[in-house]
């Protein structure tokens, strides 16, 4: 708790992870407000004992002065009548993001709990949009986000859409739900509490994207330059649906990586002549609602080689170049090399 309190505003005590929780001692030493959670197996937790024992631990936490208690939607019962702690009524779906989110939210809100929490599993990146829309329209205090790798962008954007909490792990490997980012990632890479509805959103389209350093690079530069901008990793499976659905977020621009550099072309509103000639796009600019594709791979890769050769008084003209790979980036490099008169061998 002491370590986590340096990063978080509120700490969650997962009593179901503890064999014999000493609640009194834990609450005596709390450095920040606490959420007491004792999640049963049916809702993705680890508590396996009798239901009355599970509830009794939460009631004890309330009696000892815990600030929040997270209770499952099927156990809330008379819990809201308990004085002294704010009640979070929660719904978890580890299989999907159901179509009836509004209905679920309405049912949870009707319990009289102080905060409604909804966490669903993202099977497609567009599921994030439905959760963010729910937050936007909610009239009660709500925390909502998607779980899983495809749901990470909702954890980053949720606070700017009105989510009362966003959850993070203290370290990698210590996640209490799939897809949780670490607190340091949320704060230091995505600057989550500086993001608002005026923030310009950019991102990387690819599959996979988890390995990419682009969010760290771009977000660091945005902060250094004082720009209210955010760069997100978009792991996209269905490219056509993504381009159509994410127009509602008004994303200002995209980087494009494998495997979408060529497939994206037919989904754009326009192409820069160089990108058209190469047949691959690595950059998209939103120009007043029209998505225009560009290719900077060719110019950049050739320029680096030319600068290096120029230092030795040479050029690419007539040079023999072996190109390893034949994807979108290789296509761009080959185009630029050929224009400069190089002889190319492609190995793939």
């Amino acid at each position: 708790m002491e370590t986590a309190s340096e990063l978080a505003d509120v700490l969650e005590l997962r009593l179901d992870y503890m064999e014999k929780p000493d609640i009194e001692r834990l609450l005596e030493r709390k450095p920040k407000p606490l959420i007491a959670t004792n999640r049963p197996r049916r809702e993705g937790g680890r508590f396996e004992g009798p239901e009355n024992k599970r509830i009794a631990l939460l009631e004890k936490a309330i009696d000892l002065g815990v600030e929040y208690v997270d209770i499952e939607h099927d156990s809330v019962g008379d819990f809201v009548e308990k004085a002294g702690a704010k009640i979070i009524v929660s719904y978890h779906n580890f299989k999907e993001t159901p179509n009836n989110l509004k209905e679920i939210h309405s049912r949870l809100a009707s319990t009289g709990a102080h905060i409604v929490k909804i966490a669903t599993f993202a099977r497609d990146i567009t599921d994030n949009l439905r959760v963010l829309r729910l937050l936007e329209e909610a009239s009660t205090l709500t925390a909502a986000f998607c779980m899983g790798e495809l749901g990470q962008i909702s954890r980053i954007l949720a606070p700017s859409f009105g989510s009362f909490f966003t959850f993070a792990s203290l370290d990698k490997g210590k996640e209490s739900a799939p897809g949780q980012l670490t607190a340091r990632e949320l704060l230091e890479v995505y600057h989550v509490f500086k993001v608002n509805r005026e923030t310009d959103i950019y991102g990387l389209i690819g599959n996979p994207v988890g390995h990419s350093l682009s969010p760290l690079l771009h977000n660091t530069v945005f902060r250094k330059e004082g720009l209210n901008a955010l760069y997100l990793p978009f792991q996209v499976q269905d490219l056509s649906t993504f381009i159509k659905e994410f127009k509602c977020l008004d994303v200002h621009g995209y980087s494009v990586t494998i495997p979408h550099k060529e497939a994206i072309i037919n989904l754009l509103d326009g192409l820069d002549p160089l990108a058209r000639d190469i047949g691959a796009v690595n950059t998209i600019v939103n120009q007043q609602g029209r998505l225009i594709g560009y290719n900077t791979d060719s110019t950049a890769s050739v320029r680096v080689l030319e600068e290096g050769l120029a230092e030795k008084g040479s050029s690419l003209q007539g040079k023999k170049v072996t190109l390893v790979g034949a994807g979108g980036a290789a296509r761009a490099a080959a185009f630029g090399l050929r224009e400069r008169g190089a002889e190319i061998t492609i190995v793939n």
Side-chain angles (χ1 to χ4, degrees), residues 9-282:
D9 302 304
V10 178
L11 311 179
E12 183 181 37
L13 275 182
R14 287 297 297 265
L15 302 176
D16 53 308
Y17 278 61
M18 305 177 198
E19 202 166 307
K20 294 179 180 178
D22 187 342
I23 299 175
E24 191 167 356
R25 185 180 176 206
L26 289 167
L27 266 63
E28 280 177 358
R29 299 284 299 276
K30 63 185 174 88
K32 290 280 179 76
L34 295 180
I35 302 171
T37 301
N38 198 13
R39 192 83 67 217
R41 286 280 183 187
R42 68 176 186 275
E43 284 280 310
R46 296 186 180 182
F47 189 88
E48 294 182 318
E51 183 72 357
N52 63 339
K53 184 178 178 182
R54 185 178 77 83
I55 297 299
L57 283 171
L58 293 174
E59 290 177 337
K60 184 177 180 181
I62 292 175
D63 292 338
L64 290 170
V66 75
E67 286 81 3
Y68 301 92
V69 166
D70 186 325
I71 186 72
E72 296 70 26
H73 63 102
D74 56 358
S75 302
V76 65
D78 298 327
F79 230 82
V80 292
E81 304 300 326
K82 272 280 185 182
K86 286 186 168 60
I87 305 301
I88 304 167
V89 58
S90 61
Y91 166 89
H92 296 81
N93 189 322
F94 290 88
K95 294 181 180 179
E96 62 178 353
T97 300
N99 292 322
N100 62 333
L101 283 179
K102 286 185 179 180
E103 178 187 322
I104 293 167
H105 183 275
S106 178
R107 175 159 47 86
L108 267 60
S110 70
T111 64
H114 301 89
I115 302 159
V116 172
K117 176 186 167 190
I118 295 177
T120 62
F121 191 82
R123 300 179 68 87
D124 186 84
I125 195 167
T126 55
D127 288 337
N128 293 278
L129 297 176
R130 292 195 283 132
V131 166
L132 295 176
R133 203 169 292 125
L134 178 73
L135 282 169
E136 204 170 29
E137 297 172 359
S139 57
T140 57
L141 282 180
T142 301
F145 43 84
C146 287
M147 297 181 286
E149 189 177 6
L150 291 171
Q152 287 184 341
I153 63 169
S154 69
R155 294 182 180 275
I156 299 164
L157 292 174
S160 66
F161 277 76
S163 185
F164 193 67
F165 295 121
T166 190
F167 287 77
S169 66
L170 186 55
D171 295 300
K172 284 193 180 297
K174 294 190 176 181
E175 301 84 0
S176 59
Q180 267 186 4
L181 296 157
T182 68
R184 290 197 183 278
E185 284 177 305
L186 281 181
L187 294 170
E188 296 174 7
V189 177
Y190 296 105
H191 308 276
V192 64
F193 294 118
K194 294 183 179 178
V195 178
N196 54 45
R197 299 309 299 277
E198 283 70 53
T199 299
D200 294 338
I201 297 175
Y202 299 85
L204 172 67
I205 298 174
N207 190 16
V209 293
H211 64 286
S212 176
L213 294 176
S214 290
L216 176 61
L217 171 66
H218 286 83
N219 289 321
T220 299
V221 175
F222 289 158
R223 294 281 78 76
K224 185 178 179 182
E225 296 298 321
L227 300 173
N228 184 11
L230 175 69
Y231 188 99
L232 295 170
F234 295 114
Q235 184 169 320
V236 177
Q237 299 160 321
D238 184 336
L239 190 58
S240 177
T241 301
F242 172 82
I243 291 296
K244 178 183 176 183
E245 296 294 328
F246 269 73
K247 284 188 175 181
C248 69
L249 266 190
D250 193 30
V251 179
H252 284 234
Y254 297 104
S255 309
V256 186
T257 188
I258 56 171
H260 300 312
K261 288 190 176 189
E262 296 169 55
I264 194 80
I265 288 176
N266 293 330
L267 302 173
L268 300 176
D269 301 304
L271 278 178
D272 178 74
L274 179 61
R276 182 180 292 108
D277 290 342
I278 293 170
V281 163
N282 78 331

Side-chain angles (χ1 to χ4, degrees), residues 261-313:
K261 288 190 176 189
E262 296 169 55
I264 194 80
I265 288 176
N266 293 330
L267 302 173
L268 300 176
D269 301 304
L271 278 178
D272 178 74
L274 179 61
R276 182 180 292 108
D277 290 342
I278 293 170
V281 163
N282 78 331
T283 303
I284 298 169
V285 178
N286 184 341
Q287 296 181 357
Q288 297 179 328
R290 299 182 72 246
L291 298 180
I292 310 299
Y294 295 84
N295 192 302
T296 65
D297 282 333
S298 178
T299 306
S301 58
V302 169
R303 183 183 296 166
V304 168
L305 294 173
E306 285 183 323
E307 288 175 355
L309 289 168
E311 292 176 5
K312 299 180 180 180

